[in-house]
């Protein structure tokens, strides 16, 4: 048994936090067990003489206040420390490589922007941010990578995101950690972290059936999306929004929803909107979008999302292709 | 009370008043109902333990050669469901609580004796339903029943199990209502709120959770059953529902429920520590109110089970903060127990050993709870064996120790017999040792990333798993010991005096075992709880009877 | 609750009054618990009527407002009639208790009959969620969801009605045997509490299932 390696700077920061927690815990445990032992040694029955202990209640106030305050202070510090490390998980950097991961009883399907696919294996380059877009075809799974100290639940019908920047090469295991039925314990795979050059080589040597975005474009036309949504970046109708919102520049923009919330149109938003069209305030489109739930598979949705991202000129299309 | 009794007539103990089976099954005497409960939850504990034994056997080998994946999954589900709802949630309240609440109040019975009996029948019925479901077909969802696995994708018998747990909830509610009303209405003359033993404060707080959280679980399970039966979408996204909604509702009950599974233990420990230090509990009011505030804050931390489930950042932060807040009252209790020991006159009898085991192991469990409440740390540790170790430290190391401690402490009162003290101490020590051997390695396993609910695992985890299974073997022996010597003491144990520990509670002022109507004369309370000066003035050296007629 | 005002000597109470107060406190606590049972349901309903507003409203539009409104009136009346039983109980007037009790129970049964008719109609129209669900279109999912809740909530409420009617009839039987007196009428009160609670739940269900989103 070897100690669990740290494969990212984030993992090191988590370990530091855990070490801090362990130190505090050991100190508290030392205090509790130490005091118990001391009390037993000093106050065993028969050793003490006088049992004249009047009501101690009045004197106890000072102690109560001291230990409550100290405990609160330590707790608050821990809370701040841990929260600040958690928040970064919600802020994927803009230029991250996007990899689509779909959980299914009981395997992981992985798709790369270049169209490469694998099962129960994930290849990433060291030194570059990678964002996983996770979804499930059936029950809830959970994608867990211990060497990176991260994990996230994988819910059916919506996208979740998990991002990291690995900083050492090697092969490590990832797991499904949300109980998902019979072969839950066999839903594991291997994460391979490659140097940038090896990664490029791996991409080239892995067969791909057209890039994900190209597959998505074909789907966009075949499924009838292009009938309502403007999509071509330079054509004269690029701003035509009479039937439905334009897809040009949608990715990364802010969208106001019917209930007044403003959200950033990220990959999860695009995915969910295809499955269930969101309501927009005062929407006056000529058509109503049907739900594509169950019509498009998660693989196809991933391709569509990848394609839609290429329509936002301000942002670099996902790297890697 | 109304003077319908002739105080001079010798009273027979509740145990032998009428020995027919019928009189037991139709009894309204809280003491007998407590024993009925004791029998049933012991059986369920054994059943859950067999599940644990099989789980630990399977995990001896990484390849999982003993059970099939399907059987393993059924076993840990059975283990979790039985241990939580049929053993630990009822444990202290329905046995010791049922027995002691009226005695500690100086009352003749609980406020609603018939409801009390009804709650036992509901409990047995629910237990049978659950067992039927678990053995005729089995269930593989874990005790958390997450959707859509449980509603759409399982082959298992969701319905009987879920309905059983639903029914079980009504039994809990009945007990909770009974305790709250009794504590409000049936206190002996002179017993103000700040004269209640701390056990009653703890049971009061527990009952509030019973009454207010259980119905939410009830409606959630009904919705789950409805969805499973008619294939309509409430929680299943492919039918238009929301799977996270189930988790929110489930944990809205189940987090407060974990405090149901610890508060009574804290109550017991407060009693034991005070008695065996022969000293009032340090900071009585703080300990009392900390029970209430744990129950109250416990209602707003449920989201800490969902830090990686896909809820919003905002809610995660709020729930993390409240999880730290809810730990403060627990800290207060631990420090006050230590303060009670300081300057006391400490005796290390078996109940005290269990109580000290509780304090130590609960602290370990609680501190590791802080790891899980720390957001970024939880991301790494959640759904691994670290969590398994966390809750076993609290529930087994803590609550089960307290339960055993309480059983030893009140055994003389319940049965009128002493248990063999040396064996009691031996068992306490063995449990402490076996327990740590079982669950300490699991913290490391969790940090190394071993996921929970795994029927098979990578070979690198084997060493620690074997250690853990070995510990479980020791635990099995250690838990069997009390069963043996308690049974022995029932027939051969020395007769117990009325107040063998020189304790202060009202329950020690009546005979051991108590007569049917508890007290020959309604006791009158004149001092605060744990007034040892008054006790020492009233009584002679230990072993002498204090008040009350003899059997 | 054993009848009469005598206490048997194993009972834990000091006086009959003490026992009755205790019983009423117990009922209140039980109702608090029940309130949370329905509370969970209401909460989910409120969430969905917001997040799935379109389908929800479509479902609401298909409920039978006439029957719903009629039932609301009937239930209010029934509660009012039962109050008369409580009043009569206070005076120890057993005959009045019987009469008012029967009135309240009959109204309750009418409610159930109407509700049953409504359900039957909905089953015939295939509004019960499932593969043959009647409504189609983009909002069908939300409408199904609405009907899931509709049927579960009305079923649960119906079960409470059945229990309530049973309790009222039990009171009537006791009153027929002249069990109540000015000194002892707690069961009448307690059943009254329960019956008002069942009424109150419907008051909240009615807008949620028949009005919100009907426009
Ligand atoms: C009796 C049961 C019980 C109790 C009392 C607790 C108590 C606590 N629990 Fe635990 N918990 C469970 C049973 C319990 N838990 C179970 C069953 C699960 C898993 C469910 C499942 O998924 O199957 C779980 C899971 C669980 C999680 C989710 C883990 C995950 O799935 O990711 C979290 C996260 O916050 C958590 C936190 C806490 C905290 C902060 C406390 C606190 O209340 C602890 C407070 C106590 C102390 C802190 C110790 C004493 C304090 C001192 C001596 C003070 C000094 C300390 C300092 C100054 C630092 N618990
Ligand atoms: C509430 C109380 C409670 C109690 C008392 C226990 C007691 C024990 N538990 Fe349990 N446990 C839970 C509640 C509890 N547990 C819950 C809620 C879960 C989560 C379930 C889920 O994931 O859904 C869980 C899960 C759980 C797991 C994780 C399974 C997994 O995730 O794959 C493990 C693994 O070691 C375990 C072990 C044990 C052990 C060794 C004991 C020991 O303390 C028990 C001691 C007894 C014995 C070791 C056996 C005694 C032997 C006999 C009575 C007879 C002999 C029988 C044979 C030889 C067949 N428990
Ligand atoms: Cu997928 Cu567990
Ligand atoms: Cu919790």
């Amino acid at each position: 048994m070897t100690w669990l390696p740290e494969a990212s700077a984030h993992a090191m920061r988590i370990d530091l936090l855990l070490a801090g927690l362990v130190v505090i815990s050991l100190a508290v445990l030392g205090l509790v067990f130490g005091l118990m032992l001391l009390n037993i040694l000093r106050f065993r029955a028969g050793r003490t003489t006088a049992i004249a202990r009047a009501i101690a209640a009045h004197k106890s106030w000072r102690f109560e206040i001291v230990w409550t305050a100290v405990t609160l202070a330590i707790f608050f510090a821990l809370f701040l420390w841990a929260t600040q490390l958690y928040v970064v998980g919600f802020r994927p950097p803009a230029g991250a490589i996007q990899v689509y991961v779909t959980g299914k009883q009981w395997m992981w399907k992985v798709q790369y922007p270049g169209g490469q696919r694998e099962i129960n294996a994930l290849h990433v380059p060291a030194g570059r941010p990678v964002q996983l877009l996770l979804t499930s075809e059936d029950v809830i799974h959970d994608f867990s990578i211990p060497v990176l100290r991260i994990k996230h639940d994988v819910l059916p019908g919506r996208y979740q995101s998990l991002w990291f920047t690995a900083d050492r090469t090697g092969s490590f295991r990832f797991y499904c950690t949300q109980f998902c039925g019979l072969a839950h314990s066999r839903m594991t795979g291997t994460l391979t972290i490659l140097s940038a050059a090896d990664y490029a080589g791996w991409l080239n040597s892995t067969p791909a059936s057209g890039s994900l975005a190209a597959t998505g474009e074909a789907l966009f036309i075949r499924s009838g999306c292009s009938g309502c949504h403007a999509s071509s970046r330079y054509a004269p109708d690029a701003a035509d929004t009479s039937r439905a919102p334009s897809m040009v520049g949608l990715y990364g923009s802010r969208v106001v929803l019917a209930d007044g919330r403003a959200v950033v149109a990220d990959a999860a938003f695009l995915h969910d909107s295809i499955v269930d069209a969101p309501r927009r305030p005062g929407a006056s489109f000529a058509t109503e979008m049907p739900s594509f739930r169950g019509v498009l598979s998660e693989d196809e949705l991933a391709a569509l999302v990848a394609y839609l991202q290429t329509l936002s000129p301000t942002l670099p299309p996902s790297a890697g292709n | 009370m109304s003077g319908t009794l002739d105080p001079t007539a010798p009273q027979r103990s509740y145990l032998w008043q009428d020995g027919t089976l019928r009189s037991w099954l139709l009894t309204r005497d809280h003491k007998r109902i407590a024993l009925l409960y004791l029998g049933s939850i012991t059986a369920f504990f054994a059943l859950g333990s067999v599940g644990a034994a099989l789980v630990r056997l399977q995990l001896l080998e990484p390849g999982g050669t003993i059970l099939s994946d399907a059987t393993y999954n059924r076993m840990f589900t059975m283990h979790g469901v039985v241990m939580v709802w049929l053993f630990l949630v009822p444990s202290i309240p329905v046995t010791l609580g049922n027995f002691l609440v009226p005695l500690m109040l100086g009352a003749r019975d609980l406020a609603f004796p018939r409801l009390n009996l009804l709650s036992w029948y509901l409990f047995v019925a629910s237990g049978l339903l659950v067992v039927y479901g678990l053995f005729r077909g089995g269930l593989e969802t874990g005790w958390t029943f997450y959707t859509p696995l449980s509603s759409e994708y399982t082959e298992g018998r969701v319905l009987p199990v879920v309905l059983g747990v639903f029914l079980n909830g009504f039994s809990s509610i009945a007990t909770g209502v009974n305790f709250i009303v009794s504590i409000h209405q049936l206190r002996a003359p002179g017993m103000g709120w700040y004269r209640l033993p701390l056990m009653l404060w703890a049971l009061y707080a527990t009952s509030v959770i019973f009454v207010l959280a259980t119905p939410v679980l009830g409606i959630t399970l009904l919705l789950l059953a409805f969805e499973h039966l008619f294939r309509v979408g409430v929680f299943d996204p492919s039918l238009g529902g929301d799977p996270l909604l189930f988790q929110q509702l489930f944990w809205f009950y189940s987090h407060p429920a974990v405090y149901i599974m610890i508060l009574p233990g804290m109550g017991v420990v407060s009693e034991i520590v005070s008695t065996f230090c022969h000293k009032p509990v340090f900071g009585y009011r703080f300990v009392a109110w900390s029970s209430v505030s744990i129950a109250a804050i416990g209602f707003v931390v449920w989201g800490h089970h969902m830090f990686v489930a896909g809820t919003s950042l905002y809610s995660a932060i709020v729930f993390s903060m409240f999880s730290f807040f809810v730990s403060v009252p627990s800290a207060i209790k631990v420090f006050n127990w230590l303060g009670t020991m300081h300057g006391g006159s400490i005796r290390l009898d078996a109940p005290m050993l269990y109580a000290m085991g509780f304090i130590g192991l609960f602290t370990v469990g609680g501190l590791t709870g802080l790891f899980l409440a720390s957001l970024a740390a939880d991301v790494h540790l959640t759904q691994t064996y670290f969590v398994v170790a966390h809750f076993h430290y609290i529930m087994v190391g803590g609550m089960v120790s307290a339960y055993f401690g309480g059983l030893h402490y009140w055994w003389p009162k319940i049965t009128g017999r002493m248990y063999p003290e040396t064996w009691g101490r031996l068992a306490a020590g063995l449990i402490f040792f076996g327990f740590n051997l079982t669950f300490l390695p699991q913290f490391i396993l969790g940090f190394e990333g071993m996921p929970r609910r795994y029927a098979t695992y990578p070979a690198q985890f084997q060493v620690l798993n074997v250690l853990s299974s070995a510990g479980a073997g020791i635990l099995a022996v250690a838990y069997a010991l009390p069963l043996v010597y308690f049974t022995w003491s029932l027939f051969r144990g020395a007769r117990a005096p009325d107040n063998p520990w020189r304790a202060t509670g009202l329950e020690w002022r009546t005979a051991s075992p108590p007569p049917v109507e508890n007290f020959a004369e309604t006791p009158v309370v004149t001092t605060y709880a744990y007034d040892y000066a008054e006790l020492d003035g009233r009584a002679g050296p230990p072993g002498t009877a204090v008040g009350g007629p003899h059997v | 609750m054993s009848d009469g005002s005598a206490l048997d000597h194993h009972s834990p109470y000091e006086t009959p009054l003490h026992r009755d107060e205790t019983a009423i406190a117990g009922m209140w606590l039980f109702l608090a618990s029940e309130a949370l049972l329905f509370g969970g349901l209401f909460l989910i309903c409120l969430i969905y009527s917001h997040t799935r507003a379109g389908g929800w409203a479509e479902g609401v539009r298909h409920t039978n407002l006439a029957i719903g409104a009629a039932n609301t009136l009937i239930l209010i009346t029934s509660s009012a009639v039962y109050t008369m039983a409580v009043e009569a109980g206070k005076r120890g007037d057993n005959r009045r208790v019987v009469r008012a009790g029967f009135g309240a129970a009959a109204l309750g049964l009418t409610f159930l009959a109407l509700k049953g008719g409504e359900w039957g109609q909905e089953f015939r129209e295939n509004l019960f969620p499932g593969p043959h669900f009647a409504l189609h279109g983009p909002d069908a999912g939300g409408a199904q969801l609405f009907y899931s809740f509709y049927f579960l909530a009305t079923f649960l409420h119906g079960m409470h009605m059945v229990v309530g009617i049973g309790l009222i009839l039990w009171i009537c039987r006791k009153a027929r045997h002249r069990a109540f007196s000015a000194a002892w009428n707690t069961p009448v009160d307690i059943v009254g509490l329960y019956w008002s609670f069942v009424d109150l739940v419907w008051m909240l269900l009615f807008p949620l299932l028949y009005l919100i989103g009907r426009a």
Side-chain angles (χ1 to χ4, degrees):
Chain A
M1 198 190 77
T2 50
W3 200 244
L4 183 67
E6 298 157 332
S8 68
H10 180 73
M12 274 153 73
R13 286 192 283 269
I14 299 291
D15 280 0
L16 201 63
L17 169 67
L18 288 172
L21 280 160
V22 169
V23 168
I24 294 176
S25 300
L26 288 179
V28 171
L29 279 178
L31 190 76
V32 169
F33 277 95
L35 282 179
M36 262 197 302
L37 211 68
L38 269 180
N39 281 332
I40 291 174
L41 292 179
R42 272 185 62 199
F43 301 110
R44 273 298 279 278
R47 272 205 197 183
T48 41
T49 40
I51 315 184
R53 269 164 232 93
I55 315 156
H58 301 292
K59 289 171 205 151
S60 69
W61 275 86
R62 196 176 315 145
F63 288 101
E64 303 287 350
I65 290 169
V66 167
W67 59 52
T68 306
V70 171
T71 309
L72 256 176
I74 296 177
F75 284 179
F76 199 66
L78 283 174
F79 164 73
L80 287 181
W81 187 0
T83 303
Q84 158 224 339
L85 285 177
Y86 177 76
V87 171
V88 293
F90 282 74
R91 310 230 166 95
I97 301 174
Q98 292 190 328
V99 180
Y100 296 81
V101 179
T102 307
K104 179 176 185 287
Q105 281 179 331
W106 290 277
M107 62 182 191
W108 295 105
K109 296 194 289 187
V110 181
Q111 296 182 80
Y112 296 84
Q116 296 85 351
R117 291 156 177 269
E118 343 177 49
I119 286 186
N120 290 346
L122 176 64
H123 286 78
V124 298
R128 283 190 58 191
V130 176
Q131 183 182 19
L132 305 180
L133 292 166
L134 306 154
T135 187
S136 158
E137 288 184 5
D138 35 52
V139 300
I140 303 177
H141 303 273
D142 186 300
F143 198 78
S144 159
I145 316 174
V147 282
L148 299 168
R149 311 288 189 271
I150 53 174
K151 65 165 69 75
H152 206 290
D153 273 13
V154 179
L155 301 176
R158 57 175 101 160
Y159 269 21
Q160 305 290 336
S161 131
L162 194 61
W163 80 271
F164 57 86
T165 309
D167 65 4
R168 77 178 257 184
T169 58
S171 286
F172 310 99
R173 208 180 261 271
F174 62 78
Y175 303 92
C176 173
T177 52
Q178 181 61 270
F179 185 68
C180 54
L182 186 66
H184 162 64
S185 72
R186 299 171 198 271
M187 196 167 159
T188 66
T190 311
L191 163 75
T192 310
I193 305 175
L194 302 165
S195 67
D198 288 350
Y199 181 67
W202 178 81
L203 281 180
N204 284 330
S205 64
T206 306
S209 52
S211 81
L212 209 51
T215 316
E217 182 161 18
L219 271 169
F220 193 77
I221 294 161
R222 205 177 66 216
S223 315
C225 318
S226 58
C228 300
H229 295 282
S231 59
S232 66
R233 215 178 287 174
Y234 306 110
D237 68 343
D240 175 8
T241 56
S242 58
R243 279 155 300 163
S246 166
M247 293 295 110
V248 178
L250 175 64
Y251 178 70
S253 68
R254 287 183 86 75
V255 178
V256 180
L257 299 176
D259 55 9
R261 270 182 310 138
V263 297
V264 175
D266 55 5
F269 173 83
L270 294 179
H271 171 274
D272 298 354
S273 306
I274 300 172
V275 173
D276 262 317
R279 292 179 183 276
R280 303 231 198 160
S284 54
F285 301 117
T287 53
E288 187 152 11
M289 176 160 154
S291 163
F292 283 84
R293 186 187 295 284
V295 178
L296 295 170
S297 72
E298 287 298 344
D299 292 359
E300 293 171 325
L301 286 168
L304 272 172
V305 171
Y307 165 63
L308 293 179
Q309 293 188 16
T310 64
L311 298 177
S312 281
T314 48
L315 291 164
S318 319
N321 44 348
Chain B
M1 301 208 175
S2 47
T4 39
L5 288 172
D6 176 9
T8 54
Q11 296 303 318
R12 306 203 59 193
S13 92
Y14 77 100
L15 280 173
W16 307 115
Q17 172 82 357
D18 176 357
T20 60
L21 184 65
R22 194 185 135 82
S23 80
W24 276 90
L25 291 181
L26 294 181
T27 182
R28 278 182 274 149
D29 184 339
H30 66 103
K31 301 182 285 305
R32 285 192 162 194
I33 296 174
L35 290 192
L36 292 177
Y37 262 123
L38 181 65
S40 13
I41 70 168
T42 306
F44 286 125
F45 181 58
L47 181 63
S49 294
V50 172
L54 289 176
V55 163
R56 284 316 328 165
L57 274 178
Q58 163 90 346
L59 294 179
L60 279 170
E61 290 277 336
T65 39
I66 292 157
L67 309 175
S68 66
D69 283 15
T71 318
Y72 180 84
N73 296 342
R74 284 177 185 170
M75 277 310 125
F76 75 70
T77 304
M78 186 271 265
H79 168 67
V81 170
V82 169
M83 282 298 199
V84 169
W85 281 294
L86 301 180
F87 173 63
L88 207 60
V89 164
S91 61
I92 291 182
V94 300
T95 54
L96 298 175
N98 245 331
F99 193 90
L100 291 169
V101 168
L103 285 170
M104 288 181 156
L105 288 170
R108 240 179 269 151
D109 205 323
L110 285 171
F112 309 112
R114 285 190 219 186
L115 185 66
N116 200 15
L117 181 64
L118 177 71
S119 89
W120 180 68
Y121 277 104
L122 278 176
F123 177 75
V124 171
S126 81
L128 292 180
L129 253 178
V130 170
V131 169
Y132 166 81
L134 290 172
F135 285 91
R136 299 303 298 276
L139 183 65
E140 57 283 314
T141 57
W143 77 286
T144 47
F145 307 124
Y146 274 15
T147 54
L149 181 67
S150 61
S151 57
E152 284 286 300
Y153 289 87
T154 177
E155 316 256 281
R157 303 297 297 269
V158 185
L159 279 183
V161 175
V162 159
L163 290 180
V165 173
F166 178 75
L167 213 59
N168 185 271
F170 279 96
S171 155
S172 298
I173 293 174
T175 304
V177 168
N178 226 333
F179 284 3
I180 294 181
V181 175
S182 301
I183 294 176
H184 272 280
Q185 295 276 329
L186 304 182
R187 297 194 304 269
M191 183 175 272
W193 282 92
Y194 287 126
R195 288 179 175 181
L196 287 177
L198 288 166
M199 171 87 169
L200 290 183
W201 277 90
L203 285 175
Y204 188 88
T206 310
S207 303
V208 170
I209 308 179
F210 271 144
V211 172
L212 296 185
T214 317
V216 178
L217 177 73
I219 195 72
T220 311
L221 294 179
L222 269 192
L223 282 167
L224 172 60
F226 194 70
E227 170 163 323
H228 184 76
L229 206 58
F230 299 112
R231 308 266 142 179
V232 296
V234 181
F235 303 125
D236 184 351
S238 68
L239 297 171
D242 180 355
L244 288 186
L245 186 64
F246 178 84
Q247 296 181 23
Q248 304 273 11
L249 291 168
F250 181 84
W251 291 117
F252 179 84
Y253 161 80
S254 288
H255 184 84
V258 310
Y259 294 122
I260 291 177
M261 294 186 264
I262 199 69
L263 282 170
M266 295 169 156
V268 168
V269 168
S270 300
E271 298 294 321
I272 294 179
V273 168
S274 169
T275 296
F276 290 92
C277 297
H278 207 69
K279 178 167 173 278
V281 172
F282 190 82
Y284 171 94
R285 293 189 181 205
F286 288 88
V287 179
W289 280 103
S290 63
S291 288
V292 178
S293 45
I294 287 177
I297 308 176
F299 274 97
V300 291
V301 305
W302 78 88
H304 70 199
H305 295 273
M306 301 171 67
F307 286 157
V308 300
T311 54
S312 76
L313 173 63
Y314 176 72
S315 83
I317 292 177
V318 170
F319 282 122
S320 165
M321 196 158 73
F322 277 118
S323 305
F324 280 103
F325 282 155
V326 81
S327 308
V328 173
S330 302
I332 294 181
K333 287 196 192 249
V334 170
F335 291 130
N336 277 303
W337 290 323
L338 294 176
T340 308
M341 289 175 76
H342 187 88
S345 157
I346 301 173
R347 281 171 295 158
L348 292 181
D349 294 295
M352 185 63 179
L353 292 184
Y354 281 105
M356 286 180 357
F358 173 97
I359 297 176
L361 299 177
F362 168 73
T363 304
V364 177
L367 289 169
T368 51
L370 297 178
F371 284 55
L372 299 172
S374 305
L375 284 167
D378 182 66
V379 171
H380 177 54
L381 298 172
T382 182
Q383 300 296 347
T384 67
Y385 265 82
F386 192 92
V387 178
V388 174
H390 155 66
F391 65 74
H392 282 89
Y393 258 87
I394 297 193
M395 304 205 295
V396 185
M399 183 70 166
V400 176
S401 292
Y403 174 62
F404 274 69
L407 274 184
H408 284 80
Y409 180 56
W410 282 291
W411 186 258
K413 183 55 61 184
I414 296 174
T415 62
R417 303 273 187 167
M418 299 303 289
Y419 58 86
E421 180 60 35
T422 320
W423 284 97
R425 292 186 195 180
L426 185 75
L430 207 57
I431 288 178
F432 186 82
F433 173 70
F435 177 83
N436 280 304
L437 186 58
T438 311
F439 292 103
L440 208 56
Q442 294 188 0
F443 283 124
I444 306 173
L445 279 173
F447 169 74
E448 295 278 324
M450 176 165 167
R452 61 190 284 206
R453 299 172 172 172
Y454 260 32
T456 60
Y457 57 88
Q460 87 227 38
F461 298 136
Q462 190 173 7
V463 178
L464 290 171
N465 269 301
V466 170
L467 276 183
S468 176
S469 295
I474 296 177
L475 259 188
V477 176
Y479 282 142
L481 274 182
L483 203 67
V484 176
Y485 63 72
F486 274 154
T487 316
W488 177 87
S489 102
L490 266 187
F491 302 99
R492 293 289 170 80
R495 294 273 171 198
D498 289 355
N499 190 357
W501 315 119
R502 285 202 296 147
T504 53
L506 288 184
E507 75 268 27
W508 303 108
R509 289 205 210 160
T510 185
S512 299
V516 182
E517 52 294 296
N518 290 351
F519 297 95
E521 240 171 285
T522 306
V524 176
V525 180
T526 50
T527 59
Y528 61 94
Y530 315 113
D531 187 349
Y532 289 93
E534 193 250 7
L535 177 80
D536 292 342
R538 191 150 42 80
T544 340
V546 180
H550 287 271
V551 186
Chain C
M1 282 138 269
S2 54
D3 37 24
S5 43
L7 288 170
D8 70 62
H9 76 243
H10 289 315
S11 91
Y13 319 108
E14 301 283 335
T15 61
L17 176 67
H18 184 215
R19 175 194 57 198
D20 296 346
E21 279 173 12
T22 305
I24 289 180
M27 192 64 192
W28 275 108
L29 215 54
F30 175 69
L31 291 182
S33 189
E34 288 267 82
L36 274 140
L37 184 78
F38 282 100
L41 202 61
F42 287 143
L43 194 74
I44 311 175
C45 281
L46 277 179
I47 294 175
Y48 277 140
S49 68
H50 219 73
T51 58
R52 314 288 304 264
W56 201 266
E58 174 148 2
V60 171
R61 278 196 293 279
H62 280 82
T63 52
N64 191 329
L65 183 60
I67 297 188
N71 261 343
T72 309
L73 280 178
I74 290 174
L75 213 52
I76 297 180
T77 321
S78 171
S79 261
V81 171
Y82 193 83
T83 334
M84 287 163 26
V86 174
E87 285 305 315
K90 287 217 166 57
R91 295 192 309 270
D93 184 346
N94 279 307
R95 294 225 346 241
R96 282 270 175 115
V97 172
V98 176
R99 244 187 281 156
F102 274 133
L107 284 169
L109 285 171
T110 321
F111 176 99
L112 283 180
L114 279 175
K115 191 78 231 165
E118 196 182 347
W119 269 28
Q121 188 193 351
E122 278 146 2
F123 272 112
R124 280 193 300 282
E125 289 174 10
N126 277 329
L127 286 172
F128 192 82
H132 305 295
F133 191 64
L135 305 180
H136 298 284
D139 283 332
Q144 279 217 35
L145 203 60
F146 168 81
Y147 271 101
S148 309
F149 281 101
Y150 170 84
F151 280 104
L152 189 70
T154 49
F155 171 75
L156 211 60
H157 179 259
M159 291 312 290
H160 280 77
M161 292 281 299
V162 172
V163 172
I165 292 172
L167 287 176
I168 294 181
L169 292 178
W170 173 71
I171 291 287
C172 290
R173 222 192 84 186
K174 289 195 104 153
R176 283 266 285 277
H177 293 102
R178 319 222 150 274
F180 304 116
S181 63
W184 186 71
N185 49 50
T186 327
V188 190
D189 278 7
I190 291 181
V191 171
L193 278 179
Y194 182 81
W195 194 240
S196 319
F197 175 79
V198 175
D199 190 15
L200 186 78
V201 168
W202 180 258
M203 293 300 157
L204 292 172
L205 279 180
F206 176 65
L208 218 53
L209 299 180
Y210 293 83
L211 297 181
I212 289 182
R214 188 177 275 271

